[in-house]
Amino acid sequence: MSLRLRLTLLIASVFLGLWLISSFWLITGLRSELDMALDQRLQSTAAMLSNILATVPKNELGQVIPSILQGNELGNAKGLSCQISSLHGTVIASSNTHSLPINTALSDGFGFLSSEYGQWRTYTLKTNNIVITIADKISERESLGFRLLESTIIPPAIALLASLSLLWVAIGRGLLPIRKLAVAVEKRGSTDLSPVQLDKPSQELQPLITSQNALMARLSEGMKREQQFTNNAAHELRTPLAGILAQIQLAELSASEAREKALSQAKASAQRLNSVLENLLALARLESEKEVAPVISWTLNSLIDQVQREFVSEKHRIIYNIIDEHVITFITQPLLAIVCRNLLENALKYSPVKTEIIFLAESTTEGIKVSVRNSGNVCQADIPHLTSRFWRKGERQGAGLGLSILDAIAIKYKGTLVLKNTDSSFLVTFALPISKD
């Protein structure tokens, strides 16, 4: 069922219910008022005849009454019927003897009479000389009530149907912006993620358009990143593979000394390829995991021991400052090992030879902080690009994934990654708060 039809039926049902309730209340009131008015007509007619007959001598009643009844149109097919009798029960005159039953035993006031011709509503008035009974048919009252019902119900019913027709048109026009939005989205190609533009969208529709455009922007950015990631990953993997193949072919054709050199270079290319693959896998795992997995507790000292063994060849350049005050339970040790390894590798790669690198790692009740400071500054315009995947400047070796992985970990665990120049050095600070979940 369409939204337009659903809204029309809902509003129509409300209108119909209100109309039925109000019509029932109106008809009930009108019928009561009609019966009261007709009863008052019977009563006033009887009083009028009583006043007229009071001036007529008693011995002339039989002659005068027929002319009086005819003059007041009593006895017409659709009018009132009248019966006048003496106090002893003798009928003096009757305006409708063929259908109005003769009954001289009626008491004062309102009552009912029945005959083979139908039912009658009566009013009886007793005077000093005569008894006056005025009656009208119940069928005539019902016919009058039905005509009143027709005039009361039919015009509002027609108006209601016309209102529903106008309502159908109005709802259609009101939903026109939604239809335009649907058409605009349907006409797009599978790769068209540009923002949806509508002329003068309604205030209620604007949040939907804004959220949809934001979703398309995120999808477009994701597709661009995926395409860039694929292209860069293919390039980064192809370069060391080509180097390995070339060095192996060179080793096959060279003497022992040249062969050793070629194999050494092939090994270096293989290690670079392995580093790229490890970083890609780490990045893929971070982006694919929706929730943080449970962690076995560990200490910062155990991790730093492992890091120092990996960088034992550079121990004369790296100064370690470790503060281990709290057991870590909210991030895995291998993940933080990637953080430490990437920070040190970048510092060693991009700082002048034989300069010191200060490595600080803290584990406190507030969280974890790892910072690395190395000599030299980075161009301020390049700092925003350092966390971009596969971004490199110059001919330095590397895949350009180290800081982007740190940035992904920081986002995953609601931490921060700050890169800044300080005097003559460059400082990278990675911090994670203890999870409160």
Side-chain angles (χ1 to χ4, degrees):
M1 182 183 295
S2 66
L3 180 60
R4 182 183 187 183
L5 180 58
R6 188 182 295 113
L7 286 174
T8 304
L9 291 178
L10 179 62
I11 298 175
S13 62
V14 174
F15 281 177
L16 183 61
L18 293 175
W19 175 69
L20 289 176
I21 293 172
S22 61
S23 296
F24 177 78
W25 175 79
L26 178 63
I27 291 169
T28 303
L30 287 176
R31 186 58 188 265
S32 176
E33 292 292 333
L34 177 63
D35 289 339
M36 188 180 299
L38 293 175
D39 285 347
Q40 288 178 351
R41 186 178 68 158
L42 295 178
Q43 189 176 12
S44 62
T45 302
M48 180 191 67
L49 287 176
S50 175
N51 292 332
I52 294 175
L53 294 177
T55 61
V56 178
K58 184 177 181 180
N59 56 357
E60 297 179 4
L61 288 176
Q63 301 173 356
V64 173
I65 287 176
S67 60
I68 293 175
L69 295 180
Q70 186 177 2
N72 289 276
E73 297 183 353
L74 294 173
N76 291 342
K78 294 186 178 181
L80 299 178
S81 296
C82 177
Q83 176 182 288
I84 299 176
S85 59
S86 66
L87 296 177
H88 302 291
T90 304
V91 176
I92 299 174
S94 176
S95 64
N96 196 355
T97 56
H98 66 281
S99 60
L100 179 65
I102 297 175
N103 189 339
T104 59
L106 291 172
S107 58
D108 281 350
F110 295 100
F112 291 94
L113 280 177
S114 297
S115 70
E116 58 181 327
Y117 297 104
Q119 286 188 321
W120 299 76
R121 176 67 167 169
T122 64
Y123 178 77
T124 301
L125 177 64
K126 289 184 179 180
T127 65
N128 294 330
N129 300 322
I130 57 176
V131 177
I132 302 173
T133 299
I134 306 296
D136 61 357
K137 282 186 177 182
I138 298 296
S139 60
E140 294 297 331
R141 288 193 173 206
E142 291 178 349
S143 176
L144 184 59
F146 182 74
R147 290 195 298 272
L148 180 63
L149 178 64
E150 286 182 338
S151 61
T152 305
I153 296 297
I154 292 179
I158 295 174
L160 179 62
L161 292 177
S163 300
L164 293 180
S165 301
L166 294 175
L167 180 65
W168 174 265
V169 176
I171 291 177
R173 292 187 63 84
L175 295 177
L176 188 60
I178 298 179
R179 191 178 301 111
K180 289 181 178 179
L181 176 61
V183 171
V185 174
E186 288 176 356
K187 287 183 177 179
R188 290 169 171 265
S190 58
T191 58
D192 185 3
L193 296 177
S194 59
V196 176
Q197 299 292 340
L198 290 182
D199 294 335
K200 299 179 181 179
S202 62
Q203 183 178 0
E204 294 77 10
L205 194 60
Q206 187 59 52
L208 175 61
I209 297 175
T210 302
S211 60
Q212 183 167 344
N213 287 340
L215 174 61
M216 289 186 174
R218 290 194 297 271
L219 289 175
S220 178
E221 182 64 24
M223 291 179 66
K224 289 178 181 177
R225 288 172 56 187
E226 181 182 0
Q227 184 177 8
Q228 183 181 8
F229 179 85
T230 303
N231 294 337
N232 291 333
H235 173 74
E236 293 297 333
L237 294 176
R238 184 169 60 248
T239 301
L241 282 175
I244 292 172
L245 292 175
Q247 295 300 330
I248 291 175
Q249 291 173 357
L250 181 61
E252 291 175 347
L253 301 175
S254 303
S256 58
E257 184 178 349
R259 180 181 298 140
E260 291 297 329
K261 183 179 179 181
L263 290 175
S264 176
Q265 292 177 348
K267 181 179 179 181
S269 297
Q271 289 174 342
R272 180 187 171 193
L273 176 60
N274 183 65
S275 176
V276 172
L277 289 175
E278 286 183 353
N279 286 333
L280 288 175
L281 289 174
L283 201 55
R285 282 195 297 267
L286 281 173
E287 294 181 342
S288 63
E289 293 177 358
K290 295 182 179 179
E291 297 181 358
V292 178
V295 178
I296 300 175
S297 60
W298 55 280
T299 61
L300 190 59
N301 280 325
S302 62
L303 170 64
I304 300 305
D305 290 341
Q306 175 187 338
V307 172
Q308 288 177 333
R309 287 194 297 271
E310 292 182 14
F311 292 89
V312 65
S313 61
E314 302 291 345
K315 63 180 181 180
H316 60 284
R317 294 185 59 188
I318 304 174
I319 300 175
Y320 294 95
N321 294 318
I322 311 302
I323 301 175
D324 189 0
E325 298 179 351
H326 194 265
V327 176
I328 300 170
T329 58
F330 62 94
I331 185 173
T332 62
Q333 182 172 335
L335 208 53
L336 198 62
I338 293 175
V339 173
C340 297
R341 186 183 303 115
N342 287 351
L343 286 176
L344 287 173
E345 286 179 350
N346 281 346
L348 290 168
K349 190 181 302 179
Y350 295 102
S351 62
V353 180
K354 296 182 180 181
T355 56
E356 287 185 346
I357 294 172
I358 301 175
F359 178 90
L360 172 64
E362 298 180 48
S363 173
T364 64
T365 55
E366 295 182 356
I368 299 173
K369 183 170 76 172
V370 179
S371 64
V372 173
R373 183 190 300 270
N374 61 274
S375 300
N377 287 142
V378 175
C379 178
Q380 194 65 33
D382 292 340
I383 291 179
H385 302 290
L386 294 180
T387 55
S388 300
R389 300 175 186 181
F390 299 105
W391 187 87
R392 291 198 309 270
K393 187 174 183 179
E395 299 298 326
R396 301 272 187 173
Q397 294 293 318
L401 288 172
L403 291 179
S404 64
I405 293 177
L406 269 62
D407 187 51
I409 295 174
I411 294 174
K412 181 79 171 182
Y413 288 86
K414 300 178 181 179
T416 57
L417 178 65
V418 180
L419 300 87
K420 62 180 180 178
N421 291 310
T422 58
D423 298 330
S424 61
S425 62
F426 184 68
L427 177 64
V428 180
T429 303
F430 175 88
L432 296 181
I434 293 179
S435 176
K436 302 298 183 183
D437 297 337

